[in-house]
Amino acid sequence: QIYLQILSDQFCMGIISSIIDGPKTAVEIAKTTGIPISTVYRRLQFLQENKLLKITGGIGKDGKYFLYQSRIKGFSTVFNGKSLEITVTPNLNFTIL
């Protein structure tokens, strides 16, 4: 159910696509996707609540920061006329620990 919700949400899909290959801050995600920062934060919270993000943080010269990376590498769906099957491919290439 949760995967269908994510697949049907253009903002969630944009965020996941943006952070599959490497971690980004929320501001970087907003800049690269064109999604308003408030929407980015809401969707990141939703994705985090559903354990689809890997998050790390630290303290830099500008204060605290968080980096987000997708735990999902891809989705595939099959509908056989009776049921819908969703296969989730995990993202095993984390660049953050």
Side-chain angles (χ1 to χ4, degrees), residues 24-60:
K24 292 183 181 168
T25 65
V27 172
E28 291 171 328
I29 294 167
K31 285 180 182 176
T32 59
T33 62
I35 299 171
I37 190 70
S38 59
T39 303
V40 168
Y41 278 118
R42 280 194 305 274
R43 293 313 193 280
L44 285 172
Q45 181 177 356
F46 171 76
L47 293 167
Q48 179 182 0
E49 288 169 357
N50 289 286
K51 301 185 183 351
L52 300 174
L53 296 178
K54 182 156 181 128
I55 303 169
T56 190
I59 300 175

Side-chain angles (χ1 to χ4, degrees), residues 9-10 15 19 23-24 32 35-36 41 52 63-64 69 81 95:
D9 186 304
Q10 67 179 354
I15 290 168
I19 58 176
K24 292 183 181 168
T32 59
I35 299 171
Y41 278 118
L52 300 174
K64 291 182 187 177
Q69 188 167 13
T95 57

Side-chain angles (χ1 to χ4, degrees), residues 3-22:
Y3 296 122
L4 287 175
Q5 190 172 351
I6 292 166
L7 285 168
S8 65
D9 186 304
Q10 67 179 354
F11 298 126
C12 282
M13 292 303 295
I15 290 168
I16 289 171
S17 295
S18 173
I19 58 176
I20 282 177
D21 293 325

